[in-house]
Amino acid sequence: MITAWEPAMAGVLPLPSGRLVRGRGLRQPLPEGPEPAFAVYLLGHAPPPVAWEARWIRWPDFWLPSDRAAAREALREAWERAASERVEVACGGGYGRTGTALACLAVLDGVPNDEAVAYVRKHYAPRAVETPWQRRFVARFR
Protein backbone atom coordinates (compact mmCIF):
# COMPACT_ATOMS: atom_id res chain seq x y z
CA MET A 1 0.00 0.00 0.00
CA ILE A 2 1.37 3.42 -0.97
CA THR A 3 1.11 5.86 1.91
CA ALA A 4 2.90 8.86 0.42
CA TRP A 5 2.09 11.07 -2.56
CA GLU A 6 3.50 10.20 -5.95
CA PRO A 7 6.45 12.56 -6.58
CA ALA A 8 5.20 13.58 -10.03
CA MET A 9 1.77 14.74 -8.83
CA ALA A 10 1.06 18.44 -9.34
CA GLY A 11 1.49 20.53 -6.23
CA VAL A 12 3.59 17.96 -4.38
CA LEU A 13 6.73 19.37 -2.76
CA PRO A 14 9.59 16.88 -2.45
CA LEU A 15 11.61 17.60 0.68
CA PRO A 16 15.32 16.68 0.83
CA SER A 17 14.59 13.72 3.14
CA GLY A 18 12.24 12.21 0.57
CA ARG A 19 9.10 13.26 2.40
CA LEU A 20 6.37 14.52 0.05
CA VAL A 21 3.80 17.17 1.00
CA ARG A 22 0.99 18.39 -1.22
CA GLY A 23 0.29 22.10 -1.25
CA ARG A 24 -2.87 23.49 -2.76
CA GLY A 25 -5.42 26.27 -2.82
CA LEU A 26 -8.80 25.48 -1.30
CA ARG A 27 -10.54 27.78 -3.79
CA GLN A 28 -9.66 25.21 -6.46
CA PRO A 29 -11.42 21.86 -6.80
CA LEU A 30 -9.96 18.92 -4.91
CA PRO A 31 -7.27 17.41 -7.16
CA GLU A 32 -7.86 13.99 -8.65
CA GLY A 33 -6.11 11.13 -6.99
CA PRO A 34 -5.73 9.92 -3.44
CA GLU A 35 -6.98 11.89 -0.46
CA PRO A 36 -4.63 13.02 2.29
CA ALA A 37 -4.50 11.22 5.61
CA PHE A 38 -3.73 14.49 7.40
CA ALA A 39 -3.98 18.15 6.47
CA VAL A 40 -3.12 21.56 7.88
CA TYR A 41 -5.44 24.35 6.74
CA LEU A 42 -4.23 27.93 7.00
CA LEU A 43 -7.25 30.21 6.89
CA GLY A 44 -8.70 33.24 8.65
CA HIS A 45 -11.94 31.27 9.16
CA ALA A 46 -12.78 27.64 9.88
CA PRO A 47 -12.18 25.38 6.86
CA PRO A 48 -14.90 23.30 5.26
CA PRO A 49 -15.33 19.81 6.73
CA VAL A 50 -13.21 17.06 5.18
CA ALA A 51 -13.20 13.27 5.41
CA TRP A 52 -9.62 13.11 6.75
CA GLU A 53 -7.91 14.29 9.89
CA ALA A 54 -7.14 18.01 9.73
CA ARG A 55 -5.88 20.88 11.86
CA TRP A 56 -6.89 24.49 11.34
CA ILE A 57 -4.44 27.30 11.98
CA ARG A 58 -6.04 30.74 12.07
CA TRP A 59 -3.93 32.59 9.53
CA PRO A 60 -5.45 35.62 7.75
CA ASP A 61 -4.66 36.04 4.05
CA PHE A 62 -1.33 37.82 3.40
CA TRP A 63 -0.43 37.81 7.11
CA LEU A 64 1.04 35.44 9.68
CA PRO A 65 -0.53 32.84 11.95
CA SER A 66 -2.47 34.29 14.87
CA ASP A 67 -0.91 31.72 17.21
CA ARG A 68 2.67 31.07 16.12
CA ALA A 69 3.26 28.33 18.70
CA ALA A 70 0.19 26.43 17.45
CA ALA A 71 1.41 26.88 13.87
CA ARG A 72 4.84 25.47 14.75
CA GLU A 73 3.22 22.50 16.48
CA ALA A 74 0.89 21.76 13.54
CA LEU A 75 3.72 22.08 11.02
CA ARG A 76 5.97 19.80 13.06
CA GLU A 77 3.17 17.21 13.17
CA ALA A 78 2.68 17.54 9.40
CA TRP A 79 6.42 17.07 8.81
CA GLU A 80 6.57 14.02 11.09
CA ARG A 81 3.50 12.41 9.53
CA ALA A 82 4.76 13.08 5.99
CA ALA A 83 7.39 10.40 6.60
CA SER A 84 4.72 7.72 6.22
CA GLU A 85 1.39 9.38 5.33
CA ARG A 86 -0.13 11.64 2.70
CA VAL A 87 -0.03 15.15 4.12
CA GLU A 88 -1.59 18.26 2.61
CA VAL A 89 -1.03 21.93 3.48
CA ALA A 90 -3.51 24.41 2.03
CA CYS A 91 -4.79 27.97 2.20
CA GLY A 92 -7.21 29.86 -0.04
CA GLY A 93 -4.97 30.39 -3.05
CA GLY A 94 -2.16 27.94 -2.36
CA TYR A 95 0.77 30.36 -2.61
CA GLY A 96 1.32 32.80 0.27
CA ARG A 97 0.36 30.98 3.45
CA THR A 98 0.82 27.54 1.90
CA GLY A 99 4.22 28.50 0.50
CA THR A 100 5.25 29.93 3.86
CA ALA A 101 4.20 26.74 5.65
CA LEU A 102 5.96 24.56 3.06
CA ALA A 103 9.13 26.63 3.51
CA CYS A 104 8.87 26.01 7.26
CA LEU A 105 8.56 22.27 6.56
CA ALA A 106 11.70 22.55 4.43
CA VAL A 107 13.48 24.13 7.42
CA LEU A 108 12.34 21.23 9.62
CA ASP A 109 13.70 18.91 6.94
CA GLY A 110 17.16 20.49 7.08
CA VAL A 111 17.05 23.28 4.49
CA PRO A 112 18.75 26.37 5.97
CA ASN A 113 16.24 29.10 6.90
CA ASP A 114 17.79 31.58 4.47
CA GLU A 115 17.41 29.09 1.58
CA ALA A 116 13.96 27.68 2.35
CA VAL A 117 11.89 30.22 0.40
CA ALA A 118 14.03 29.74 -2.72
CA TYR A 119 13.77 25.96 -2.28
CA VAL A 120 9.97 26.09 -2.19
CA ARG A 121 9.80 28.51 -5.11
CA LYS A 122 11.97 26.16 -7.17
CA HIS A 123 10.27 22.89 -6.22
CA TYR A 124 6.65 23.96 -5.58
CA ALA A 125 5.64 27.31 -7.10
CA PRO A 126 7.55 30.45 -8.17
CA ARG A 127 4.87 32.62 -6.47
CA ALA A 128 5.18 30.87 -3.09
CA VAL A 129 5.64 33.10 0.00
CA GLU A 130 4.07 36.42 -0.99
CA THR A 131 4.97 39.04 1.61
CA PRO A 132 8.12 40.33 3.34
CA TRP A 133 6.73 39.32 6.75
CA GLN A 134 6.08 35.78 5.48
CA ARG A 135 9.71 35.59 4.30
CA ARG A 136 10.83 36.90 7.72
CA PHE A 137 8.65 34.27 9.46
CA VAL A 138 10.48 31.54 7.54
CA ALA A 139 13.87 33.12 8.25
CA ARG A 140 13.15 32.99 12.00
CA PHE A 141 11.28 29.66 12.05
CA ARG A 142 12.53 26.95 14.45
Side-chain angles (χ1 to χ4, degrees), residues 66-77:
S66 299
D67 183 338
R68 293 179 190 177
R72 274 191 292 280
E73 180 182 311
L75 293 174
R76 179 162 294 282
E77 180 179 1

Side-chain angles (χ1 to χ4, degrees), residues 84-141:
S84 62
E85 298 176 70
R86 289 185 178 105
V87 173
E88 170 177 271
V89 175
C91 65
Y95 297 104
R97 295 167 286 182
T98 295
T100 301
L102 291 174
C104 291
L105 293 179
V107 169
L108 291 172
D109 207 60
V111 176
N113 291 65
D114 62 346
E115 298 174 20
V117 171
Y119 182 89
V120 170
R121 286 178 174 169
K122 179 179 179 182
H123 297 284
Y124 170 68
R127 294 176 42 204
V129 190
E130 296 175 314
T131 67
W133 39 92
Q134 289 173 341
R135 285 191 298 278
R136 194 166 37 251
F137 183 77
V138 173
R140 295 176 180 168
F141 185 79

Side-chain angles (χ1 to χ4, degrees), residues 14-77:
L15 293 168
S17 67
R19 287 173 167 91
L20 302 170
V21 179
R22 181 172 74 186
R24 76 177 180 103
L26 293 171
R27 290 192 292 267
Q28 302 300 318
L30 183 67
E32 289 187 28
E35 295 178 342
F38 178 71
V40 177
Y41 295 124
L42 316 163
L43 298 166
H45 54 81
V50 292
W52 47 87
E53 187 179 350
R55 289 187 63 181
W56 167 43
I57 300 301
R58 185 179 298 276
W59 191 330
D61 202 6
F62 297 105
W63 291 99
L64 297 175
S66 299
D67 183 338
R68 293 179 190 177
R72 274 191 292 280
E73 180 182 311
L75 293 174
R76 179 162 294 282
E77 180 179 1

